[in-house]
Structure formats: structure tokens, C-alpha cells
Amino acid sequence: MPECGAGLHLQDQLEMLIQDFRTSAEPPVPVFVVHAQEGADDDAVAGLVRQLYAGQEAHGTRCAVAQDAYEGPTEVRRAAALVRALSDPKKWGGPKAVYRRYAFPRLRLVHAIDDAVAALGDGRPAPAPGSPGAGHDQRQLLLNQLAQQRWRPRSPARWRSGLPLFDMAHILPASLVTVLAALLARSEWYVAVGSGLVFLLLLTVLNYVLPGRAPIFLWLRRESRWFMTTTFLRAADQDEPTEVSLLRPVRSWKAIAARAYDVAEALKAGGDFHLQLCVLALREDLRDNHRRWSWDLRGFKRPRPPMLFLPHADARNGGIELIRAVSDVRSRRSELDPLLVVAAVRAQDVPHLERSVVPSAPDPGPATPKFGERLRTWYREWAHNLRAEQSPSRERSVLPWVMKIPLPHDQLAPVEERRRHLRASTRPTLARLVWALHTLVLVVAVLAAGTVMRADALHDRYCSASLLTANRDTRRAPAPGGGTECVGIATDGVRFADWLPAAPTGGAVTALTDGEDRPWTVADLEDRIARQNADVLARHPGTYVTVVYAGPLSADRSGSSLVKGAEELAGVYLAQAVVNENSSVKLRVLIANGGVDLGHQERMAEAIAAYAAHDPTVVGVIGTGRDLKSSRATTRVLMEAGLPVVSGTNSATYLPREFANWFSLAATDEWQTRQLGLIAAQLRTPKRRQYALVLARDTARTDDLYTDEQARYGGQMLRRQGFTLLDRRRYRLTGGTPELRSHAQEICQGERVPSVIYFAGRVEDVDPLMTQLGTEPGCAGRPLAILTGDDLSKADFTAGGQSVAPKVTLYHAALAELERAATRTAFYLDAAKHLPGLAGRRLRHDSPALASGQTALAHDATRALFWAASRDDRPQSRASTWVNLRNVKIEGMATGTIDFTRAPLYGDRTGHSIVLKEVSRAGDGTSSTRVVCRRTAGDTAPLTRAECPIGR
């Protein structure tokens, strides 16, 4: 700290200015020039400046000290060399300086041009003056030299000269933008990082390898923008462009090249221009380093202005010319900068700081104020006179920004009693605490952790997700028996086949269980539908409608859910292929998955409704082919979205009665059991008590409603036919296997053995039931009839897959009568033409790939919905499609005539396709199937008992 009185007062004055700078950010700061009143004290004054430097450095001020003499032929060149030395950030601030080092890009650009001029020299041959190519050749030589220097000062020892990547201030942000763009496009993280590295490598090659080129993004650098916009360098000749533009790099480059050549020519001429340009660049860099509203708020983090200390300012080291240049540039620019200069000059050099004559000092009054009071008075007078002293019309005798402070001999002596000196507030600014590197690290760490957690949550929740975004149309859901399935509506390349479990031989379980009999896979169908959709969107925009197939496309242990979904999806694709081949209005199909046995169909319906809200081409839904407890909520969600539903296989009785948007090709459970009553009546012996029983699967822990409806309507039917109904029995599943042994024992060994059982279960439970009935005493070898609903139509009795017990006759309904309709439909020719794996095969109604009727019903449902959506050969709106469905009547379908014209609102329609089949045991142990009676779709004549004779 200063040890003399003048030093303490000067230190207090500096601290007051620092406090003003901390609060107002732009107080006028002079160039303090201190000098001794007596020549013998010159060394003491120089020591005082060094003490002030040490004190300010201890307080954390950014300080630079010029103590060396710099080389140069003139005082101006030595002053310019002094300014060049100040462009080294290491010159400013010691270990106690807060925030990071200064940057001097503008000053370094001026030095780069100066080095290029020096490197070219005067010895190189030049074109003859006045020749047409003279100016162009000289400019090109300069640009080539600058390109070799990378538009940086020549400095072989520069630590980063061998590491070009660290000099790419704009390339790295550009690469970061590339990575973020890739991530937002839902690419994998390694794709995003790889694209960023490739982009960075490409820009590196362009920036450093190509010879004779300027650095890429040169026109975007802050020093280039200053270089082109400062009026200090504005040329009178406006033939060349003088502006830089983000969107016009070529024009900007030409403007920078022209300005660099003009500056180089001015530097060759010598004079004060070089020094003043360096001082201007220095002060602009310092202003930028203390700009408060910058991206890093660096002005708030640097509350103390930079200080330059010149212990010996004289002609030998260029200090005098530097002081004059600082004052001149400030007066010319009329802008404040934060640089505070404290210089010591010898008493004999004081006249060099004046334009003309040194005014005589005023005579001291009778009571001379103390030195500290005089110092503050001088500063106030200097600040008050600053505006007038800078006036261009005033004949200036002094440098307006220089405040000369004469130091008397008594103020340079050491003081014995130390007093507490002033110090500006040292409290860290809020910006240093909140907007700082440690805060940034913390924020980045929190953001990174949050991003990882969000990415993990997105991957756990959605089927297709990247680091930041996800496809919200599909979601992950727990699958029965463990594992995960993907439910929702497939968009943006999502494939449900990708979520099927792996087969033992590798790949995915996408094929149906019968190999060659059902040759297509879910993956095949999804790919073919995607190709149809792409062709529709590319070639027929505005002339298509979109339907959504909603079915079970997840695999369960038995495989029945996937078989049903794949067969229905085949029918939907077949209808799409036929329609797009023959209709001017095209059909686009989206696929939705409700999970195993449609266990997540309500969530699927919500995804469909959300997608339909922003896609007006969606006109309806195909599928939802299982009757579950969630069917009401599912249908209500779709109804509120304005979407009609056309189902091929859902036999729910209540849905057409409760929802106006429900249309189904399947005969309802109540109507089916009424037709089975024609057979039950023949099993009844008049005037004799016969017992009957309803055996149903336990649905307490499931979403199954089909079983409950079958059990209820089956019991009502048996009671109407005169059977004595025993208590209903429900069997449970353990590990997917039905527990039927105890039920069979109680049924067969009791006193009241039923002659008819209505089985309200699933097709996969038939074999265990037949095994128990065929081995249990009391039932084995005794005639027994089993009636059941349409779920048994999925069983394949002809190939030995299922069989019946001896003396047991199985009667079941089927939803699709295909044989009689086969002669009046092109369905089988179309299937052989379009379905995968069936090309060249001759298909019939009983071909294993189509015999279950699932494909036929889905095909007919899709054709019916498309007919309503394309009436008058024009795409219809969603509401019009709903209305038009009431007028649908299409002949020649796979199941007959699809007729909704007689469907009452909130009531049961007639004309369903129905088949009643009888299955009995043959002599060789196989099963024999016989059609008892049938109706094709569209035939409204009721079945009669005479038409449905049984083989008793």
C-alpha cells in the first residue's frame, strides 16, 4: 500500500472512482498524470505509481504496468509497441483478479494487418503504378499474407498454434447446433454425436486445410463487425461495400478485404493513425470486456475498472504519446470507456502534455486546503470542464482527458501514523454468484441429470423416444405374464412387430402358428400397409381417407391374440390393396394395438382420438373385436372424437343399443344363443326332467365381458327350452391352464348329471375340458351335448388340432358363412393376388389361411367403412362417413351382402352371417365337423328348427 500522504489520497480517489464505476458503470475516468513540483522528486513519484499499482492489484483490480522500453524508430511507433504489449491477456490481472482473463480481438486484428504489412515489406516487385492490375495485385498479396497468418498476429510461440480446433469460436457452436438438431429429430445419441463430429471435422478442413482462404465465419467475428462499422475507419470512397451481413457472406468478405487493404495502406503511410487505431481498438476491447448486458454478464462480474500504470511515461518508451493518443481518441469518439490510466512523468516532461503554453498555477490562498481536498476539487473541476474542453470549436491548450496532479515535496514523505484508507465495496456481485462458472457447472449437471432422467422416463413410457422427444402416439404397457408391449396408434415408422417376443430360433414371433397355412407375418403386413400409405400420400394428396385398424397385435402365451390380430390385419390390408387399385379415392390405413386380447384398448382409443384431433382425414375405426368391460369406455372415447366403429367380430349385445357410432358385422351374443336354442330344443326330451349347466370361465380378475354375456344369455336360453338349470359353475386359470378337474368330478359324479352344458369359455380351454369329460366316471361313455358361442370358430377340428371326447357332441356358432358366399365374391382371387405368401395358390372358403373367417370379416368391415367414406367418388368428412354408414349396402363381399340400411338407431339389426356347426368324435379318434344350418350376411330370413336338424 502507499506509504506517503499523496499516495494515500490518490488511493482514496481511485477507490471513490471505482465505487462510482461499480454503481453507475460509466463514470468519466481521466488519465491521472502525477508529477513532482521539484525535479528531485521524480523518482519518488515513479515509486508512488508502483505503490498504487501494488495496492490496486491487491484489491483485485485488473491492472497492467508498463515498465519496459519498446523498440521503434519514432515515439509514436514505440507507443504503438507499448499498446501491442497490452494485447496480451496475461498483462492484465494477477491471481486475485475476479472472473476470466480479458480478450482483445479488435486489437489483435489491427496487429495482424500491421504484421502482414511488415511481412510484405517494400522489397517485393510490384506492378507499375497506374497499371490496371496494380491495386488488385497489391490487395491480393495482402490477403494471401493474412490468410497465412489466419488473420491473427504473427506469434510463433502462441500456445494454441498447433491446436486449430481451439481457435474455432464459431465452428464449435455450429457443431453444437447440429447435435441438438439431430437429438430433436429423435435420432439415437450416437447418431447425434457422430453428426456433430463429422460436421466439426468438415468445418475444420474448410477452415484450416484449404490454402489461401480466410477462416470460415470470419465475417461473423465480433472484431470483423467492429472493423466494418466503426466510423473511425469509414472511407470517403463508397464504391466498395462497407457492411457485413449474416445472410450475405460473399459481400461481407469483399467488404472486409477492402477495408483491410485501406487500413494497410494507411499504416504504410505512418503518422499518428497507427497509434490512434491501436488505442481505439484497445478501448473498444476494454469496453466490450466490461459490457454489462453481454451473454455472460461480464460487466457485472468485473465491478472494478481496468487500470494502466505508467511509472515512467516519457519519449523513450512512448508513454507521452500514448497519453496524448488516449485523450485524442476519447475526444474524437465521444464515448466513455473504463480504462483508468495513472502515469508518472518527470517535471521536465510536463510541457509535452500540452498543446501550447502551460498556464501558470494559481496563487495559493491564505488558508491552503489539505492535499486530499484539493485532489477532490481538481477532479470535480476536471469533470465539469470536460464537455467544454472537448468542443471542436474550442482552441485546446490542454489535453481534455488528462488530469495533471502536481505533488508537493511534503506529500511524498512517508507518513508515520497510518490511517484506515478507503476501499470500494468488495461484496461479490449477484451476477458472480448466480451467473458464474460454478453455477453453470451446477446448472449443466442438473440439466444433464434431468435430461438423462427425462430420457429414461421417455424410454420407459413411450415406444419410440430419443434424448429429448418421443412419439407420444404409442406407449409402453405391462404385458400379461411379464414383459412389455407397445400400445397406441403407430405413426412415424413405429412397428408393432418390433415388440413381439423373440422366437427360439431368432427373429421375432411375427408368423402365425400354422406355418405354410398362414404364410404372412405381422411385419409383412405392416410393411405392405406402410408402402401403400406412402404411395397414397405421395401421389394422391387430398383424394384419400384414413381408417384405423384397432386390434390385438401383441403375443400371449397361447398365441391366440396374435393370430386374431394378424388375421384381421390381413383382411384390412387386402381391402386397402383392392380399393387403391380400383378406386379414384384412395385408402390410407393406420394400425393401432390394444395389447394382448385388447387389454389396453381404452388407452389405444385415447391415442386414436388424440391423433384424429389433428388429422381430419381419419374417418373411422375398424376392429375392437373383443367384448371387454372396457368396451363401453373405448366406444365412448371414439364416439366423442366423432369416429364411427365398424367391427367384424365383436358380438356384444349392448353396444349397438347404447352407441350410435357402433356398427358390427358379428351376430350379437343374445341372437347367437337364440339360434343355438333351435338345437337345444332338439336335445330336450318332452315331459322328462333334464338337467343343464352353464360352465363359465371366472372373469373376476379380468376385463372379459364376452364370457359373462355368453353365460347369461346361454342360461336364459336353456331355461326357455325347459331344462332344469343347475347352479352356474366358474373355473379359474392357473398359469394359463384352466382348473377343470374338480368341476368335472362334481358334475359327473353327482346325482343330477346334466345332459347339456353351455360352455361360456374360450377356444383354448376346450381341449382340457374334453380331456376331463372323457376320463371322469359318470361322464365318460355317456351322451353329452356341449353348446358354445362363436369363439370356438377359431378352433381347427379338421386338422386334428382339437378333438372332442367320446359320446360328446359339440355345437358352436360361427360368425362367417363363407361357403355359400364364395361363388359371388372376388375375395379369394384378391387374397391370392395381394396377401403375402399366397401368390399362385388356389384359395377356397375352407383354405386354412382363411377358414376362421377373421380375415373375411375384417375385409368386409373395411370395405363397408370405405364405401361410406367415399360416397359419390369423393372423400367424405368424418361426420358424413358416420351418417353414410346407415346407407351402406354392398353385395359380393366375402360373407355375403353387408347391409346397414335396416339397422335401427340404438337397436338390433338383422341380416348377420351365422353358421351353426356340429362337431363329434369319429371312429379313429379324430373330429368330424358338420354344418347344421347357416345364413349368409344380408339374408334376413329367420332360421327354423326344421332347417337345423341335429344328428342324434
Side-chain angles (χ1 to χ4, degrees), residues 825-848:
T825 183
F827 171 77
Y828 302 98
L829 295 176
D830 293 333
K833 179 179 179 182
H834 295 289
L835 287 180
L838 297 180
R841 294 177 58 176
R842 184 178 179 85
L843 299 178
R844 291 168 35 88
H845 67 278
D846 55 354
S847 296

Side-chain angles (χ1 to χ4, degrees), residues 478-701:
T484 303
E485 55 187 351
C486 180
V487 300
I489 181 170
T491 58
D492 295 336
V494 173
R495 295 286 189 272
F496 293 119
D498 297 338
W499 290 82
L500 296 176
T505 57
V509 185
T510 56
L512 301 183
T513 56
D514 290 72
E516 294 182 358
D517 291 336
R518 299 184 181 94
W520 60 78
T521 66
V522 174
D524 291 337
L525 297 171
E526 284 188 306
D527 290 341
R528 291 185 176 230
I529 289 174
R531 287 196 293 269
Q532 288 275 344
N533 292 343
D535 182 72
V536 168
L537 294 174
R539 301 175 56 187
H540 306 281
T543 59
Y544 70 90
V545 293
T546 302
V547 301
V548 180
Y549 166 69
L553 292 174
S554 298
D556 59 353
R557 292 184 178 182
S558 67
S560 61
S561 178
L562 181 59
V563 169
K564 175 181 176 63
E567 289 190 342
E568 288 183 339
L569 186 60
V572 174
Y573 164 68
L574 178 57
Q576 181 189 30
V578 172
V579 163
N580 290 343
E581 188 176 52
N582 300 285
S583 176
S584 59
V585 178
K586 304 303 177 182
L587 178 61
R588 174 172 167 250
V589 174
L590 296 178
I591 304 173
N593 181 26
V596 172
D597 291 332
L598 290 177
H600 299 284
Q601 67 169 347
E602 187 174 357
R603 182 178 294 180
M604 172 191 68
E606 291 171 351
I608 295 172
Y611 178 83
H614 63 264
D615 187 351
T617 68
V618 178
V619 294
V621 176
I622 305 294
T624 63
R626 283 181 61 89
D627 182 17
L628 304 173
K629 295 174 184 177
S630 58
S631 293
R632 278 190 174 91
T634 298
T635 309
R636 183 175 294 107
V637 169
L638 297 175
M639 182 186 68
E640 291 173 352
L643 293 169
V645 182
V646 182
S647 179
T649 59
N650 193 326
S651 58
T653 303
Y654 59 92
L655 288 177
R657 296 176 180 176
E658 296 180 12
F659 298 98
N661 68 322
W662 180 262
F663 301 83
S664 180
L665 275 59
T668 63
D669 295 324
E670 183 179 14
W671 192 80
Q672 286 182 48
T673 56
R674 195 180 303 131
Q675 311 315 305
L676 287 170
L678 300 175
I679 295 175
Q682 300 177 61
L683 297 173
R684 177 78 173 91
T685 301
K687 298 181 181 180
R688 178 183 172 186
R689 172 170 287 191
Q690 283 181 265
Y691 295 102
L693 173 72
V694 175
L695 179 61
R697 180 189 277 193
D698 187 3
T699 61
R701 297 181 180 180

Side-chain angles (χ1 to χ4, degrees), residues 28-281:
V29 286
V31 176
F32 287 106
V33 175
V34 293
H35 61 91
Q37 288 184 345
E38 302 175 9
D41 295 329
D42 288 339
D43 292 337
V45 173
L48 171 62
V49 172
R50 294 190 186 93
Q51 294 173 13
L52 291 174
Y53 165 71
Q56 288 299 320
E57 189 175 38
H59 288 175
T61 305
R62 299 273 180 164
C63 301
V65 59
Q67 305 186 47
D68 303 325
Y70 296 94
E71 298 181 358
T74 63
E75 187 176 354
V76 171
R77 295 299 296 183
R78 290 192 290 273
L82 189 156
V83 176
R84 179 175 187 133
L86 296 177
S87 64
D88 184 0
K90 296 179 181 179
K91 293 284 187 180
W92 298 85
K96 294 185 178 181
V98 296
Y99 200 47
R100 53 192 176 94
R101 289 176 174 173
Y102 283 151
F104 297 95
R106 298 163 184 82
L107 186 54
R108 291 173 61 81
L109 176 60
V110 174
H111 296 333
I113 298 175
D114 186 38
D115 286 349
V117 172
L120 291 175
D122 299 326
R124 298 195 179 186
S131 63
H136 176 76
D137 291 344
Q138 290 295 317
R139 176 183 298 184
Q140 193 59 48
L141 288 173
L142 175 69
L143 296 179
N144 291 341
Q145 179 61 35
L146 285 171
Q148 292 179 11
Q149 298 174 198
R150 309 306 306 166
W151 287 69
R152 293 288 189 253
R154 293 170 63 89
S155 179
R158 190 157 53 99
W159 67 272
R160 57 184 180 180
S161 59
L163 300 174
L165 285 179
F166 290 98
D167 198 28
M168 302 169 67
H170 293 277
I171 293 179
L172 290 176
S175 303
L176 179 61
V177 171
T178 303
V179 172
L180 291 178
L183 290 176
L184 292 176
R186 294 207 302 275
S187 301
E188 296 293 340
W189 68 268
Y190 52 84
V191 176
V193 174
S195 62
L197 291 177
V198 170
F199 187 69
L200 180 62
L201 179 62
L202 175 62
L203 293 180
T204 304
V205 171
L206 293 176
N207 197 50
Y208 286 92
V209 175
L210 297 180
R213 298 289 183 181
I216 195 167
F217 301 133
L218 172 65
W219 82 98
L220 296 181
R221 291 178 176 176
R222 51 184 171 175
E223 61 266 31
S224 298
R225 293 196 301 271
W226 165 80
F227 194 54
M228 297 307 301
T229 55
T230 177
T231 56
F232 188 86
L233 299 177
R234 177 75 66 175
D237 187 3
Q238 298 296 327
D239 292 339
E240 297 285 353
T242 58
E243 296 182 27
V244 292
S245 172
L246 177 65
L247 303 178
R248 305 182 72 174
V250 176
R251 180 182 176 88
S252 300
W253 160 243
K254 291 181 178 179
I256 294 172
R259 180 60 55 84
Y261 179 71
D262 291 341
V263 171
E265 291 297 310
L267 293 178
K268 287 181 182 179
D272 295 341
F273 174 78
H274 183 195
L275 176 59
Q276 293 193 356
L277 180 59
C278 290
V279 170
L280 174 64

Side-chain angles (χ1 to χ4, degrees), residues 398-410:
V398 296
L399 299 174
W401 284 90
V402 174
M403 178 179 170
K404 296 189 296 292
I405 304 174
L407 300 179
H409 176 75
D410 61 333

